[in-house]
């Protein structure tokens, strides 16, 4: 006996499918329009002329630097093996340096913020009518962007596989069967 979703969940599923197809069609259209605009910009005669000018300048600079680079090569080449040997240790060393340097930097920034608080608190209060609505708008925009990105991710095959695995895990439980399905 096939499982039938309860009416609210079936309606939510149908609405989600419609929203997903609309969002994907909109994003695909937006990306196609961007590609067309980029191609038309690159086809413009002024852009081509500027690109050729930049290429000729780049070629001229490379031509002027080439004799000096050839002279420096005997001095640089012996160091290359040491640089290549050190590459695997650079990320851990940078991470250790970051961990060591972060607390003093944060303390200095905190001290500066404490000393300058009368100024920036006053400016903050006086300009609150600008930045509080901007913050609210930014939060709503970030939420909207996150929802669109989630829809886009879960519509593609890798994300859809993840979503189906999560759905199987939830709908196979006793409570999931009772909540989601009519004939469970």
């Amino acid at each position: 006996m096939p499982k039938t979703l309860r009416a609210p969940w079936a309606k939510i599923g149908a609405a989600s499918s419609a929203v997903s197809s609309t969002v994907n069609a909109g994003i695909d259209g937006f990306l196609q329009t961007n590609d067309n605009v980029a191609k038309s910009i690159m086809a413009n005669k002024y852009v081509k002329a500027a690109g050729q000018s930049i290429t000729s300048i780049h070629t001229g600079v490379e031509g002027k630097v080439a004799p000096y680079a050839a002279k420096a090569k005997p001095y640089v080449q012996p160091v290359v093996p040491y640089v290549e040997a050190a590459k695997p240790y650079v990320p851990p060393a940078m991470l250790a340096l970051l961990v060591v340097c972060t607390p003093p930097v944060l303390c200095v920034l905190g001290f500066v913020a404490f000393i300058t608080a009368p100024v920036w608190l006053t400016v903050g209060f006086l300009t609150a009518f600008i930045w509080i609505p901007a913050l609210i708008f930014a939060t709503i925009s970030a939420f909207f962007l996150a929802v669109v990105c989630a829809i886009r991710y879960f519509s593609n095959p890798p994300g859809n596989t993840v979503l189906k695995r999560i759905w199987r895990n939830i709908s196979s439980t006793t409570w999931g069967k009772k909540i989601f399905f009519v004939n469970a």
Side-chain angles (χ1 to χ4, degrees), residues 53-176:
S53 300
I54 292 171
T55 303
S56 65
I57 291 170
H58 180 70
T59 307
V61 169
E62 278 185 353
K64 291 177 183 174
V65 170
Y68 301 108
K71 289 179 184 175
K73 194 168 187 171
Y75 301 104
V76 174
Q77 201 61 35
V79 180
V80 171
Y82 298 109
V83 172
E84 293 295 327
K87 273 187 183 177
Y89 303 106
V90 169
M94 291 302 292
L95 183 62
L97 184 66
L98 184 69
V99 167
V100 169
C101 293
T102 299
V105 169
L106 289 178
C107 286
V108 168
L109 290 176
F111 179 74
V112 169
F114 180 73
I115 295 298
T116 59
V119 174
W120 58 262
L121 279 175
T122 305
V123 171
F125 285 136
L126 294 176
T127 60
F129 66 93
I130 295 171
W131 63 265
I132 289 179
L135 185 65
I136 292 170
F137 177 75
T139 303
I140 292 170
S141 300
F143 176 75
F144 178 75
L145 185 64
V147 168
V148 168
C149 289
I151 289 171
R152 189 74 172 165
Y153 172 73
F154 288 122
S155 296
N156 291 330
N160 202 336
T161 305
V162 170
L163 188 63
K164 285 180 180 176
R165 187 181 68 229
I166 293 169
W167 169 248
R168 272 193 307 273
N169 289 342
I170 293 172
S171 65
S172 65
T173 63
T174 306
W175 284 100

